[in-house]
Amino acid sequence: MPPFDVPEGDPFGPHNLPYGVFSPAGSSERTVGVRLGDHVLDAGAAAHALGSPYASLLARPTLNPLLAAGRTAWSDVRRALTAWVTVPAHRETVEPLFHPLSEVTLHLPFEVADYVDFYASENHARNVGRMFRPDAPDSLTPNWKHLPIGYHGRSGTVVVSGTDVVRPSGQRKAPADAAPVFGPSVRLDIEAEVGFVVGVPSELGRPVPLGDYRDHVFGLCLLNDWSARDVQAWEYVPLGPFLGKSFTTSVSAWITPLDALDEARVAPPERTHELLPYLDDAEEEPGGYDLRITVAINGHVVSDPPFSTMYWTAAQQLAHMTVNGASLRTGDLYGSGTVSGPSERERGSLLELTWNGRDPLELPDGKRTFLEDGDVVTLSAWAPGPDGVRVGLGEVTGRVVPAP
Ligand code: CA
């Protein structure tokens, strides 16, 4: 079907228009693409053909120039793109610049600067607390309701959806073992998350207030924070996650601009603790997003984590990670933390879904506690859009391959 005739109601219709970077069939050249249905528009070529001033932002091998251009430019470019793919007068010029998705190669769409990962789901944090600190008086740590907990991760190992995930090796030691052993992880897991992509940098020494979130953050994508639970368990005290998570983080090939998600904004869960002023969002616009995530292993759905249940918002996370004066760079990526809802089928990790391996999942192709070599994990999601139409998020998928 020609891209201009994308069916009404398609989750990747003209109301969505996520950005990626692709190479056409038979070419190694990278350029910015915009998805419409099951096609990709060569956005830079369209800008050139229509004499648009945005060619300098779009005829580029990464999204970084567009990310850095700022909120006014983001809105202007989106308005122009919407016209290019919907106004019949442009059809003859623009239609030849589309490529079928099945024929292109998709790349990591931006150069990842710094990478931070949070821990913002109360359900997830409580499940982890119950499993690993069963004797603690509260399943949450005392700081949890006062600040968005996070850590700095490894940006150089963020990969695009479709990249194989090599099973990591490392040290592990069960509490009853006398000494640690070394070898491929036997508890390889996923974490279903949402990643936020920073466009506009900030000045060193100047915190970014809650209300400036949309001046800095360009868009979001699905993110899988692959985690080696055995490596993590042995190494994490006292400085937090290290090699158990730094081997690979997968992101979608498509970045959904925040402007496409206005109808999906929702208030976060009710706050049970008074927040310090820099995190107090009572007077701010709704900071949550109604994203319905699905986790599938080898095509079998195992969970539907609801992002609307996340306690800390992306705006609060941005305010917190800059409150000490740490500056933002174009291409910074921050993960929401594992998304887990209140019910058992809404958990975003195998750690929780199998209760640390105690209750294996029954899949048509066998039982699973943690991932086996050859397993393919796919996260997908949608959000409510205008007039009842869904906004599709680009999927993030990865296949586990054996340790070398
Ligand atoms: Ca995580």
Side-chain angles (χ1 to χ4, degrees):
M1 181 172 305
F4 259 67
D5 303 323
V6 61
E8 209 173 309
D10 188 302
F12 291 96
H15 60 292
N16 188 342
L17 302 181
Y19 295 88
V21 167
F22 75 102
S23 297
S27 165
S28 60
E29 264 186 50
R30 300 178 180 212
T31 193
V32 170
V34 170
R35 179 168 172 181
L36 182 67
D38 52 8
H39 284 75
V40 186
L41 174 67
D42 183 334
H48 279 303
L50 293 166
S52 160
Y54 306 122
S56 62
L57 298 177
L58 298 172
R60 303 296 285 263
T62 83
L63 290 177
N64 288 54
L66 176 63
L67 297 181
R71 191 173 176 185
T72 303
W74 302 338
S75 301
D76 291 348
V77 169
R78 181 170 164 80
R79 203 174 303 115
L81 279 162
T82 305
W84 300 347
V85 302
T86 56
V87 175
H90 294 319
R91 182 169 186 147
E92 202 178 325
T93 308
V94 172
E95 200 141 78
L97 305 175
F98 279 97
H99 301 257
L101 250 183
S102 57
E103 293 178 8
V104 305
T105 304
L106 297 170
H107 303 285
L108 187 64
F110 61 101
E111 291 162 25
V112 183
D114 289 294
Y115 168 50
V116 164
D117 194 24
F118 284 96
Y119 191 56
S121 160
E122 182 172 352
N123 300 297
H124 174 70
R126 286 196 183 279
N127 286 338
V128 171
R130 284 187 197 109
M131 273 183 267
F132 295 112
R133 292 176 289 104
D135 302 326
D138 186 354
S139 54
L140 293 181
T141 52
N143 56 359
W144 202 92
K145 288 280 178 94
H146 296 281
L147 55 83
I149 294 174
Y151 68 94
H152 281 93
R154 191 166 187 85
S155 53
T157 53
V158 176
V159 301
V160 71
S161 174
T163 305
D164 282 347
V165 177
V166 179
R167 181 179 296 273
S169 291
Q171 284 196 28
R172 61 177 185 272
K173 180 190 163 307
D177 295 345
V181 296
F182 181 87
S185 170
V186 295
R187 298 167 83 82
L188 182 59
D189 197 358
I190 58 152
E191 291 193 339
E193 303 196 20
V194 174
F196 292 83
V197 181
V198 172
V200 174
S202 67
E203 197 183 324
L204 186 63
R206 292 280 180 103
V208 175
L210 275 177
D212 288 2
Y213 160 72
R214 289 196 65 170
D215 293 330
H216 290 273
V217 174
F218 172 79
L220 57 75
C221 62
L222 289 171
L223 181 151
N224 188 344
D225 174 24
W226 304 89
S227 301
R229 299 298 180 197
D230 40 6
V231 177
Q232 184 185 355
W234 171 230
E235 74 177 0
Y236 87 103
V237 178
L239 287 185
F242 187 36
L243 303 179
K245 285 169 176 286
S246 63
F247 53 96
T248 302
T249 305
S250 300
V251 293
S252 171
W254 299 105
I255 309 301
T256 305
L258 296 187
D259 284 342
L261 293 166
D262 284 338
E263 286 81 4
R265 298 175 69 184
V266 290
E270 197 179 338
R271 276 67 176 82
T272 52
H273 290 56
E274 193 173 333
L275 294 173
L276 287 166
Y278 80 94
L279 290 172
D280 185 353
D281 61 355
E283 304 299 320
E284 301 291 330
E285 294 173 12
Y289 292 94
D290 181 8
L291 311 177
R292 324 283 178 92
I293 303 171
T294 294
V295 181
I297 299 176
N298 302 330
H300 311 300
V301 173
V302 296
S303 174
D304 296 292
F307 192 75
S308 59
T309 59
M310 299 298 272
Y311 191 86
W312 296 103
T313 70
Q316 289 172 319
Q317 291 169 333
L318 190 76
H320 186 63
M321 73 184 182
T322 60
V323 75
N324 63 349
S327 49
L328 300 171
R329 293 194 290 172
T330 298
D332 280 0
L333 171 69
Y334 61 103
S336 60
T338 308
V339 183
S340 290
S343 80
E344 288 188 11
R345 280 277 296 192
E346 295 178 329
R347 295 170 176 167
S349 66
L350 289 172
L351 175 74
E352 296 163 273
L353 286 164
T354 70
W355 211 253
N356 200 19
R358 186 193 70 188
D359 307 322
L361 289 179
E362 302 277 355
L363 300 183
D365 53 352
K367 286 188 181 183
R368 285 297 183 293
T369 50
F370 293 93
L371 295 172
E372 296 181 1
D373 290 342
D375 280 348
V376 176
V377 180
T378 303
L379 311 181
S380 52
W382 61 273
D387 305 319
V389 176
R390 293 180 174 190
V391 178
L393 266 59
E395 68 172 26
V396 55
T397 190
R399 183 170 62 103
V400 177
V401 301

